[in-house]
């Protein structure tokens, strides 16, 4: 797996799948790594050359001091594409990955074909939840918030039905570097990309989870109404919908990206 330098930060990047196929870039959520895309990889790599990466502060990427910003996350992605000599890619980002996708769609329109924004939002009207989470993590580490966050990631039904998958997701969250996690929460606490949405000209699909209390169906509907021509798909899932509804999520991605 290459490590790619983005302004001094080494990003852990993986390139797999169909050589010569269209490129699809996947971007993870807060507190996860590129491993969160495992349920999609078998199907996606048959159609696409798939690039995954660990956001700065996460996984095997470096953890420069924060706070980070959506612009910095976006420029990290452009550094990866430049390093790999890729002129244009499709984008699928979930949660923070969707926020980065909004920034890229508005600020680097020539570099992206179609864009999928899953379980995400463009704006948090009240930053209190992020300030509270930062305080809790500073005091008690990610363990202090892990069960509450996991309950938002996956419905109770799913956690009961698939305890091993839920446990793996929790481990992924708990192994995130604390400094990187906090630096990302700081970026989220000031998130407001409402003005960017009308500037996204790529064909865009919004995916929302019916049971997602973190980035709600209303958040998805707001983005759909502001991004020209965007469409929306609802899944029977909480926040990490690609894990909770892997087949429906994969079908939505492939269906949207391959339709003419
Ligand atoms: O961690 C959460 O509670 C949900 C979330 C918001 C942005 C993100 O990436 O994850």
């Amino acid at each position: 797996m290459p490590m790619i330098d983005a302004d001094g930060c080494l990003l852990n990047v993986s390139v797999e799948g169909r050589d010569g196929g269209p490129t699809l870039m996947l971007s993870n959520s807060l507190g996860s790594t590129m491993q969160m895309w495992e349920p999609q990889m078998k199907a996606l790599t048959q159609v696409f050359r798939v690039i995954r990466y660990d956001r700065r502060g996460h996984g095997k990427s470096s953890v420069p001091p924060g706070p980070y910003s959506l612009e910095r996350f976006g420029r990290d992605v452009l550094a990866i594409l430049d390093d790999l000599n890729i002129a244009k890619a499709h984008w699928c980002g979930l949660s923070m990955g969707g926020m980065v996708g909004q920034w890229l769609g508005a600020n680097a329109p020539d570099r992206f074909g179609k864009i999928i924004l899953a379980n995400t939002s463009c704006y948090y009207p009240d930053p209190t939840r992020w300030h509270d989470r930062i305080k809790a993590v500073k005091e008690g580490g990610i363990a202090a918030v892990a069960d509450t966050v996991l309950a938002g990631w996956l419905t109770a039904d799913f956690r009961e039905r698939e305890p091993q998958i839920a446990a793996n997701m929790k481990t992924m969250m708990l192994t995130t570097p604390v400094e990187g996690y906090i630096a990302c929460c700081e970026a989220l606490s000031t998130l407001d990309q409402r003005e960017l949405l009308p500037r996204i000209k790529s064909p865009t699909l919004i995916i929302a989870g019916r049971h997602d209390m973190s980035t709600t169906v209303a958040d998805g509907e707001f983005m759909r109404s502001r991004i020209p021509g965007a469409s929306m798909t609802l899944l029977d899932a909480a926040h990490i919908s690609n894990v909770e509804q892997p087949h429906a999520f994969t079908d939505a991605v492939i269906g949207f990206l391959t339709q003419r």
Side-chain angles (χ1 to χ4, degrees):
M1 292 210 199
M3 296 294 281
I4 292 180
D5 188 320
D7 198 34
C9 175
L10 289 181
L11 296 171
N12 182 39
V13 177
S14 141
V15 185
E16 294 155 84
R18 236 188 88 197
D19 258 352
T23 301
L24 168 61
M25 196 156 184
L26 304 174
S27 182
N28 54 295
S29 69
L30 172 68
S32 73
T33 70
M34 65 167 82
Q35 294 301 321
M36 71 168 276
W37 296 109
E38 223 44 62
Q40 278 68 50
M41 287 307 286
K42 186 162 179 237
L44 292 181
T45 51
Q46 282 166 26
V47 186
F48 302 102
R49 173 170 54 163
V50 180
I51 304 175
R52 295 185 282 175
Y53 70 105
D54 293 333
R55 176 169 304 109
R56 60 173 58 215
H58 282 68
K60 296 195 177 84
S61 291
S62 345
V63 189
Y68 305 156
S69 68
L70 265 297
E71 176 175 359
R72 184 61 263 164
F73 297 137
R75 296 201 182 284
D76 287 350
V77 170
L78 297 176
I80 293 170
L81 290 178
D82 289 346
D83 189 276
L84 296 173
N85 269 314
I86 293 170
K88 201 161 187 159
H90 297 309
W91 179 266
C92 176
L94 187 141
S95 197
M96 278 193 87
M99 296 164 194
V100 180
Q102 296 161 38
W103 190 92
L104 290 164
N107 289 291
D110 300 345
R111 306 298 296 271
F112 295 91
K114 294 186 181 182
I115 292 180
I116 299 171
L117 309 174
N119 299 82
T120 192
S121 181
C122 61
Y123 174 52
Y124 288 115
D126 179 7
T128 313
R129 74 161 122 166
W130 295 112
H131 296 154
D132 291 348
R133 196 180 297 188
I134 290 166
K135 185 167 179 287
V137 172
K138 277 185 179 161
E139 287 169 5
I142 295 176
V145 301
D147 285 330
T148 309
V149 174
L150 192 72
W153 276 11
L154 303 165
T155 61
D157 272 1
F158 182 85
R159 282 179 278 131
E160 267 167 41
R161 208 169 57 244
E162 297 285 0
Q164 192 55 56
I165 297 178
N168 293 346
M169 293 299 289
K170 184 173 170 182
T171 302
M172 193 187 292
M173 191 193 321
L174 288 171
T175 47
T176 304
V178 168
E179 304 75 20
Y181 191 88
I182 290 173
C184 286
C185 290
E186 283 166 339
L188 292 175
S189 72
T190 57
L191 178 78
D192 186 356
Q193 300 196 122
R194 287 175 293 177
E195 300 296 319
L196 296 188
L197 301 181
R199 285 168 44 195
I200 300 175
K201 304 294 185 227
S202 302
T204 299
L205 173 68
I206 311 283
I207 297 177
R210 282 195 187 88
H211 312 289
D212 188 347
M213 297 301 145
S214 177
T215 52
T216 63
V217 173
D219 294 331
E221 180 53 38
F222 180 84
M223 292 183 294
R224 191 207 57 75
S225 70
R226 300 296 163 102
I227 299 173
S231 55
M232 181 154 153
T233 294
L234 283 183
L235 298 182
D236 198 17
H239 190 59
I240 309 288
S241 67
N242 74 304
V243 170
E244 184 150 359
Q245 289 290 346
H247 301 298
F249 189 99
T250 306
D251 288 351
V253 169
I254 293 180
F256 175 68
L257 295 180
T258 57
Q259 100 200 350
R260 292 191 172 267

